[in-house]
Amino acid sequence: MKEYTVRFMTCCFLAFTLIFGLVPVQSVILAQSDQKFKDVPKTFWASGAINALSDKGFVGGYTDGTFRPNKTISRAEFTTMLVKISALTNAKQNPYKDVTGGWALHPVNVAYAAGLIPTSDFGNEFKPNQNITRYEISRMISKAMIKDQSYKEFFDTFSKLNNSDLPLTDSKSIQRGQIQYVALTLGTGIMSGYNDQSIGLRNNATRAEAVAMLTSYYNSRSKKPEDYQYLKELKELAETGINVETVSTSVPYIKHR
């Protein structure tokens, strides 16, 4: 009962900080170039991420000069981007009966070899043309991150968290097996919530959302887990049931859009 009370009070404060005025932390730190796509003005919330990854050749637009940031993105499209950004090259024949040829075959083979898209996550079919959800992105990026042992240690610790420990208005919808992935990507600012402080795991991701998350993941590859204050606080909460630094330094990574 004592541990539950402490966790409840901690999460109440985190939720309070989300609602009453702490400045959200911006996860995108790559430099923004001039406008590259006619439908992505500099005022668009993800313009910096889109332009930066485009400059590096990780993402591209359409032949009409648009990027279509609010368009959904498929599993195969996201997998291709993630493989490029992760600089993965080793491939292994995937077991999915619906990915046996075409442009998606190689990136799927590479992602499968790296353990990013195991059959335990997708079953017998990968469904490459299906819209990818925000949770699926969180899970795939997390699997890429925990190839680094330092991030894996944090990830393993997050198995002790409850969904109520995450300061989100829809935390009750987060299933037990999803908590570790959400905690890792939320704590590093890779995944951020909406204006109502919900995370929307079941929502289909837009191209802009996917690129923003990939940009933050790209940036995380040059950082240590200890560089992320909120990630450290989640680890402390998982280990002790209380976050002694919450009252003074907690800044959850919620991005207002």
Side-chain angles (χ1 to χ4, degrees):
M1 178 64 69
K2 181 178 179 181
E3 180 181 348
Y4 174 81
T5 300
V6 171
R7 284 177 180 266
F8 177 77
M9 292 178 65
T10 299
C11 291
C12 282
F13 186 85
L14 287 171
F16 180 88
T17 62
L18 288 175
I19 298 171
F20 293 100
L22 284 181
V23 178
V25 175
Q26 296 296 327
S27 60
V28 176
I29 62 174
L30 290 177
Q32 179 177 345
S33 63
D34 293 334
Q35 182 173 343
K36 296 178 64 68
F37 304 102
K38 60 186 180 183
D39 58 345
V40 183
K42 290 184 178 181
T43 54
F44 185 68
W45 69 270
S47 63
I50 292 170
N51 291 341
L53 289 198
S54 175
D55 286 342
K56 292 184 176 294
F58 293 142
V59 302
Y62 294 89
T63 56
D64 62 356
T66 64
F67 186 78
R68 304 176 194 177
N70 296 318
K71 183 179 180 292
T72 55
I73 182 171
S74 72
R75 288 176 174 175
E77 290 171 329
F78 181 81
T79 299
T80 300
M81 295 178 186
L82 180 58
V83 164
K84 286 182 179 180
I85 291 175
S86 300
L88 298 172
T89 56
N90 294 332
K92 179 181 179 180
Q93 182 60 49
N94 78 83
Y96 297 113
K97 60 183 181 181
D98 58 347
V99 187
T100 58
W103 65 268
L105 179 60
H106 181 68
V108 169
N109 284 346
V110 173
Y112 178 74
L116 308 187
I117 53 171
T119 54
S120 57
D121 289 343
F122 296 98
N124 295 325
E125 295 183 344
F126 183 62
K127 299 179 180 178
N129 296 320
Q130 181 168 304
N131 292 332
I132 195 168
T133 66
R134 284 166 57 82
Y135 170 64
E136 289 169 342
I137 287 179
S138 174
R139 184 176 62 193
M140 289 174 64
I141 288 180
S142 292
K143 288 180 182 293
M145 293 182 72
I146 61 178
K147 294 173 76 65
D148 181 327
Q149 184 60 34
S150 62
Y151 280 101
K152 188 177 186 304
E153 291 176 2
F154 275 69
F155 178 82
D156 290 343
T157 303
F158 293 154
S159 65
K160 300 175 184 178
L161 290 173
N162 298 314
N163 56 12
S164 58
D165 292 324
L166 302 176
L168 302 164
T169 56
D170 57 350
S171 62
K172 290 183 178 180
S173 67
I174 302 175
Q175 300 174 12
R176 166 57 59 183
Q178 299 175 331
I179 295 173
Q180 288 171 274
Y181 301 109
V182 176
L184 184 62
T185 50
L186 186 67
T188 52
I190 289 172
M191 175 171 279
S192 58
Y194 297 107
N195 286 341
D196 63 354
Q197 283 75 54
S198 66
I199 199 67
L201 294 183
R202 298 179 182 177
N203 295 349
N204 293 328
T206 65
R207 284 166 56 81
E209 288 175 330
V211 170
M213 286 186 265
L214 285 170
T215 302
S216 296
Y217 162 63
Y218 179 87
N219 294 330
S220 75
R221 300 185 68 205
S222 61
K223 294 184 177 182
K224 299 177 180 179
E226 292 78 14
D227 293 333
Y228 296 98
Q229 180 62 36
Y230 187 42
L231 193 69
K232 292 191 297 181
E233 292 175 4
L234 282 174
K235 184 173 185 287
E236 185 179 3
L237 180 59
E239 291 174 333
T240 66
I242 185 172
N243 184 340
V244 297
E245 297 183 1
T246 297
V247 295
S248 61
T249 62
S250 179
V251 184
Y253 294 84
I254 297 297
K255 180 183 296 179
H256 295 268
R257 296 175 180 165

